[in-house]
Amino acid sequence: MSTRPGQAAAGADLAQLALDFHHTHQLLDPAAQGVQNWEVRITSAGTPVGSLSAVRGLYWKSDNLRERMVDEQSFPALVAAQLLDEAGRFTYEFEEFIESASSVLVIGRLQVEEAFADPLVVAGVVAAVIDRLTDSYFAVVLPAKNACTDAGSALLAEAGTLLSAQEFSDELQIIDNALAAPEEAAQRVRSRLHSLARHGGPAAWDEDDEEDEGWDEDGEEDEELTARTAAVLRVALEELSEHLWQDVAAVGDAPLGRGEGRVLGLLPPITFHQDQQWRRQMARCFDDLAAELAETGTVRPGCTGEEMALHLGIDRAKALTRNRPRLVAETVEGLGADRRDFDWDWCSTVLFEDHDVLMLFDASLDGIEDSGNEINQSLGLANLAAADWFVPFRPGQARDPDRGFRHS
């Protein structure tokens, strides 16, 4: 198959894809101890669009894993013949090929509708199956090009390549879960799928290429937050504000000790000796950004303190979408969905003029906040010293100086 990854799926609704895992275990069946058959159903908005079969071969639970997998026939039998000897032990060649696998996951049968018949989509499905059904002691076996007998196996072969599988033979390729490369490849696949789902085109495969193919950097519409993104970001900022005000009450003017402060401790070390008034102004940065989001649906940091607050807000919003799905669902209830929802990396790129403030976390750049610092001068940095964090970038657009504080 020669489809460019992401090309065939560009018109499909990838955001609605879901996987249903099905496995029936016969409690007293001795054959069920060594091999598990899993059927993974692929659905889009609840409608079946494909399926994938996976066989888990558990070496230490099998009487003879080779015989047991041969009994499954088809691709698992081919895998067993190449990876295991007659006594059911892994071959010398296989043990030399991998780090420490003690079990195998064999993925050899795929059916998928044409709209989703894309190597990138299949790689994303396979990566999810690997996450669900394996650990670091598994070797994942996929067909190589010479073992492809149909369109489904050809897609699996291309997916294996995208996931950094290595050719074991002319017919098999293997992903060694003990290595870092496959997980890094899986992360790239997920990132490209997110880009494809949100923007209608995948990001470039080269992880060093930051170009986002789906956006016109001069387009005004590209800089608008979606309603659901703005709502979750506002919740994140309000949560951080509440925690920071609690920090202010607890710490006061005292220097910040090791591990102290739910939010104060997240700031760069140059802020740890600031007084209570400085900390109150920092807390107000979160409040100002949340209020701007509520009023306008978007946000632009107006000083260094607000830049830091927004960075922390985006990080917290990303964590909420990963860890608090129920809270997020309640937050966005009634708001229209958009394929660009919750693209926090995009927010980090678009909502800032620069990321200079993040250099304050780099210990190797100690002193860079000083205007007399050589690096500071060469890069033309400004307002990085803690005393300057609340100086407006654009005085003509400064916030009302009489707006006060949320807490007295």
Side-chain angles (χ1 to χ4, degrees), residues 353-397:
E353 294 183 7
D354 57 60
H355 291 171
D356 293 350
V357 69
L358 298 182
M359 290 191 287
L360 295 174
F361 289 107
D362 189 340
S364 68
L365 297 177
D366 186 38
I368 196 173
E369 72 279 4
D370 185 348
S371 60
N373 179 276
E374 182 176 339
I375 299 176
N376 182 298
Q377 292 180 349
S378 65
L379 295 178
L381 305 179
N383 295 3
L384 291 187
D388 298 329
W389 272 32
F390 313 114
V391 176
F393 293 144
R394 294 168 290 276
Q397 301 174 18

Coordinates of all heavy atoms in Angstrom, one line a residue, residues 353-397:
E353 N 3.8 35.8 22.7 CA 4.8 36.5 21.8 C 6.1 35.8 21.8 O 6.8 35.7 20.8 CB 4.9 37.9 22.1 CG 3.7 38.8 21.9 CD 3.9 40.2 22.1 OE1 5.1 40.6 22.3 OE2 2.9 41.0 22.1
D354 N 6.5 35.3 23.0 CA 7.8 34.5 23.1 C 7.7 33.7 24.4 O 6.7 33.8 25.2 CB 9.0 35.4 23.1 CG 8.9 36.4 24.2 OD1 8.8 36.0 25.4 OD2 9.0 37.7 24.0
H355 N 8.6 32.8 24.6 CA 8.7 32.0 25.8 C 9.9 32.3 26.7 O 10.4 31.4 27.4 CB 8.7 30.5 25.4 CG 7.4 30.0 24.8 ND1 7.2 28.8 24.2 CD2 6.2 30.6 24.7 CE1 6.0 28.7 23.8 NE2 5.3 29.8 24.0
D356 N 10.3 33.5 26.6 CA 11.5 33.9 27.4 C 11.4 33.6 28.8 O 12.4 33.2 29.5 CB 11.8 35.4 27.2 CG 12.2 35.8 25.7 OD1 12.4 34.9 24.9 OD2 12.2 37.0 25.4
V357 N 10.3 33.8 29.4 CA 10.1 33.6 30.9 C 10.5 32.2 31.3 O 10.9 31.9 32.4 CB 8.7 34.0 31.3 CG1 7.7 33.0 30.8 CG2 8.6 34.1 32.8
L358 N 10.3 31.2 30.4 CA 10.6 29.8 30.7 C 12.1 29.6 30.9 O 12.5 28.6 31.5 CB 10.1 28.9 29.7 CG 8.6 28.9 29.5 CD1 8.1 27.9 28.4 CD2 7.9 28.6 30.8
M359 N 13.0 30.5 30.4 CA 14.4 30.3 30.6 C 14.8 30.5 32.1 O 15.9 30.1 32.5 CB 15.2 31.4 29.8 CG 15.1 31.1 28.3 SD 16.3 32.1 27.3 CE 15.4 33.7 27.4
L360 N 13.9 31.1 32.9 CA 14.2 31.2 34.3 C 14.2 29.9 35.1 O 14.7 29.8 36.2 CB 13.1 32.2 34.9 CG 13.1 33.6 34.4 CD1 12.0 34.4 35.0 CD2 14.5 34.3 34.8
F361 N 13.7 28.8 34.4 CA 13.7 27.5 35.1 C 15.0 26.8 34.8 O 15.3 25.7 35.4 CB 12.6 26.6 34.5 CG 11.2 27.1 35.0 CD1 10.3 27.7 34.2 CD2 10.8 26.8 36.4 CE1 9.1 28.1 34.6 CE2 9.6 27.2 36.8 CZ 8.7 27.8 36.0
D362 N 15.8 27.3 33.9 CA 17.1 26.7 33.5 C 18.2 27.1 34.4 O 18.7 28.2 34.4 CB 17.4 27.0 32.0 CG 18.6 26.2 31.4 OD1 19.3 25.7 32.2 OD2 18.7 26.2 30.2
A363 N 18.7 26.2 35.2 CA 19.7 26.5 36.2 C 21.0 26.9 35.5 O 21.8 27.7 36.1 CB 20.0 25.3 37.1
S364 N 21.2 26.4 34.3 CA 22.5 26.8 33.6 C 22.4 28.3 33.1 O 23.5 28.8 32.7 CB 22.7 25.9 32.4 OG 21.7 26.1 31.4
L365 N 21.3 28.9 33.2 CA 21.1 30.3 32.8 C 21.0 31.2 34.0 O 20.4 32.3 33.9 CB 20.0 30.5 31.8 CG 20.1 29.7 30.5 CD1 18.8 29.9 29.7 CD2 21.3 30.2 29.7
D366 N 21.5 30.8 35.1 CA 21.3 31.5 36.4 C 21.8 33.0 36.2 O 22.9 33.2 35.7 CB 22.1 30.8 37.5 CG 21.9 31.5 38.8 OD1 20.8 31.9 39.1 OD2 22.9 31.6 39.6
G367 N 21.0 33.9 36.6 CA 21.3 35.3 36.4 C 20.8 36.0 35.2 O 21.0 37.2 35.0
I368 N 20.2 35.2 34.3 CA 19.7 35.7 33.0 C 18.7 36.8 33.2 O 18.5 37.7 32.3 CB 19.2 34.6 32.1 CG1 19.1 35.1 30.7 CG2 17.8 34.1 32.6 CD1 18.8 34.0 29.7
E369 N 18.0 36.9 34.3 CA 17.0 37.9 34.6 C 17.6 39.3 34.8 O 16.9 40.3 34.6 CB 16.2 37.5 35.8 CG 16.8 37.7 37.1 CD 17.7 36.5 37.5 OE1 17.9 35.6 36.6 OE2 18.3 36.5 38.6
D370 N 18.9 39.3 35.1 CA 19.6 40.6 35.3 C 19.8 41.3 34.0 O 20.4 40.7 33.0 CB 21.0 40.3 36.0 CG 21.7 41.6 36.4 OD1 21.3 42.7 36.0 OD2 22.7 41.5 37.2
S371 N 19.4 42.6 33.9 CA 19.6 43.3 32.6 C 21.0 43.5 32.2 O 21.3 43.8 31.1 CB 18.9 44.7 32.8 OG 19.5 45.5 33.8
G372 N 22.0 43.3 33.2 CA 23.4 43.4 32.9 C 24.0 42.1 32.4 O 25.1 42.1 32.0
N373 N 23.2 41.1 32.5 CA 23.7 39.8 32.1 C 24.0 39.7 30.6 O 23.3 40.3 29.8 CB 22.7 38.7 32.4 CG 23.1 37.3 32.0 OD1 22.9 36.9 30.9 ND2 23.6 36.5 33.0
E374 N 25.1 39.1 30.2 CA 25.6 39.1 28.8 C 24.5 38.5 27.9 O 24.2 39.0 26.8 CB 26.9 38.4 28.7 CG 27.5 38.4 27.3 CD 28.9 37.8 27.2 OE1 29.5 37.8 28.3 OE2 29.3 37.4 26.1
I375 N 24.0 37.3 28.3 CA 23.0 36.6 27.5 C 21.7 37.5 27.4 O 21.1 37.6 26.4 CB 22.7 35.2 28.1 CG1 24.0 34.4 28.1 CG2 21.6 34.5 27.3 CD1 23.8 33.0 28.8
N376 N 21.3 38.1 28.6 CA 20.1 38.9 28.6 C 20.3 40.0 27.5 O 19.3 40.3 26.8 CB 20.0 39.5 30.0 CG 18.7 40.4 30.1 OD1 18.6 41.4 29.4 ND2 17.8 40.0 31.0
Q377 N 21.4 40.7 27.5 CA 21.6 41.8 26.6 C 21.7 41.3 25.1 O 21.1 41.9 24.2 CB 22.9 42.5 26.9 CG 22.8 43.3 28.2 CD 24.1 44.0 28.6 OE1 25.2 43.8 27.9 NE2 24.1 44.8 29.6
S378 N 22.4 40.1 24.9 CA 22.5 39.7 23.5 C 21.2 39.2 22.9 O 20.9 39.3 21.7 CB 23.5 38.5 23.5 OG 23.0 37.4 24.2
L379 N 20.2 38.7 23.8 CA 18.9 38.3 23.3 C 17.9 39.4 23.4 O 16.7 39.2 22.9 CB 18.5 37.1 24.1 CG 19.3 35.8 24.0 CD1 18.8 34.7 24.9 CD2 19.3 35.3 22.5
G380 N 18.2 40.5 24.0 CA 17.3 41.6 24.1 C 16.1 41.3 25.0 O 15.0 41.6 24.7
L381 N 16.4 40.6 26.1 CA 15.3 40.2 27.1 C 14.9 41.4 27.9 O 15.6 42.3 28.2 CB 15.8 39.1 28.0 CG 16.4 37.8 27.2 CD1 16.9 36.8 28.2 CD2 15.3 37.2 26.3
A382 N 13.6 41.3 28.4 CA 13.1 42.4 29.2 C 12.1 41.8 30.2 O 11.4 40.8 30.0 CB 12.4 43.4 28.3
N383 N 12.1 42.5 31.4 CA 11.1 42.2 32.4 C 11.1 40.8 33.0 O 10.1 40.3 33.4 CB 9.6 42.5 31.9 CG 9.4 43.9 31.6 OD1 10.3 44.8 31.7 ND2 8.2 44.3 31.2
L384 N 12.3 40.2 33.1 CA 12.5 38.9 33.6 C 12.8 39.0 35.1 O 12.5 38.0 35.9 CB 13.5 38.1 32.9 CG 13.2 37.7 31.5 CD1 14.3 36.7 31.0 CD2 11.9 37.0 31.4
A385 N 13.4 40.0 35.6 CA 13.6 40.2 37.1 C 12.3 40.2 37.8 O 11.3 40.7 37.3 CB 14.4 41.4 37.3
A386 N 12.2 39.5 38.9 CA 10.9 39.4 39.6 C 10.3 40.7 39.9 O 9.0 40.8 39.8 CB 11.2 38.6 41.0
A387 N 11.1 41.7 40.2 CA 10.5 43.1 40.5 C 9.8 43.6 39.3 O 9.0 44.6 39.4 CB 11.6 44.0 40.9
D388 N 10.1 43.1 38.1 CA 9.5 43.7 36.8 C 8.4 42.8 36.3 O 7.9 43.1 35.2 CB 10.6 43.8 35.8 CG 11.7 44.8 36.2 OD1 11.4 45.8 36.9 OD2 12.8 44.6 35.8
W389 N 8.0 41.8 37.0 CA 7.0 40.8 36.4 C 5.6 41.5 36.1 O 4.9 41.0 35.3 CB 6.8 39.7 37.4 CG 7.8 38.6 37.1 CD1 9.1 38.7 36.6 CD2 7.6 37.2 37.3 NE1 9.7 37.5 36.5 CE2 8.8 36.5 36.9 CE3 6.6 36.4 37.8 CZ2 9.0 35.1 37.0 CZ3 6.7 35.0 37.8 CH2 7.9 34.4 37.4
F390 N 5.3 42.5 36.8 CA 3.9 43.1 36.7 C 3.9 44.4 35.9 O 2.9 45.1 35.9 CB 3.3 43.2 38.1 CG 3.4 42.0 38.9 CD1 4.2 41.9 40.0 CD2 2.9 40.8 38.4 CE1 4.4 40.8 40.8 CE2 3.0 39.6 39.2 CZ 3.8 39.6 40.3
V391 N 5.1 44.8 35.3 CA 5.2 45.9 34.5 C 4.5 45.6 33.1 O 4.9 44.7 32.5 CB 6.6 46.4 34.3 CG1 6.7 47.5 33.3 CG2 7.3 46.7 35.6
P392 N 3.5 46.4 32.7 CA 2.8 46.1 31.5 C 3.7 46.1 30.3 O 4.6 47.0 30.1 CB 1.7 47.2 31.4 CG 1.6 47.7 32.7 CD 2.9 47.6 33.4
F393 N 3.5 45.1 29.4 CA 4.3 45.1 28.1 C 3.9 46.4 27.3 O 4.8 47.0 26.6 CB 4.0 43.9 27.3 CG 4.5 42.6 27.9 CD1 3.8 41.4 27.8 CD2 5.7 42.6 28.6 CE1 4.2 40.3 28.4 CE2 6.2 41.4 29.2 CZ 5.4 40.2 29.1
R394 N 2.6 46.7 27.2 CA 2.1 47.8 26.4 C 1.3 48.7 27.4 O 0.2 48.4 27.6 CB 1.3 47.3 25.3 CG 2.0 46.4 24.3 CD 1.1 45.7 23.3 NE 0.4 44.6 24.0 CZ 0.9 43.4 24.2 NH1 2.2 43.1 23.8 NH2 0.3 42.5 24.9
P395 N 2.0 49.8 27.9 CA 1.3 50.6 28.8 C -0.1 51.1 28.4 O -1.0 51.3 29.2 CB 2.3 51.8 29.0 CG 3.6 51.2 28.7 CD 3.4 50.2 27.6
G396 N -0.2 51.3 27.1 CA -1.5 51.8 26.6 C -2.6 50.8 26.7 O -3.8 51.1 26.6
Q397 N -2.3 49.5 26.9 CA -3.3 48.4 27.0 C -3.2 47.8 28.4 O -3.7 46.7 28.6 CB -3.0 47.3 26.0 CG -3.1 47.9 24.5 CD -2.7 46.8 23.5 OE1 -2.6 45.6 23.8 NE2 -2.3 47.2 22.3

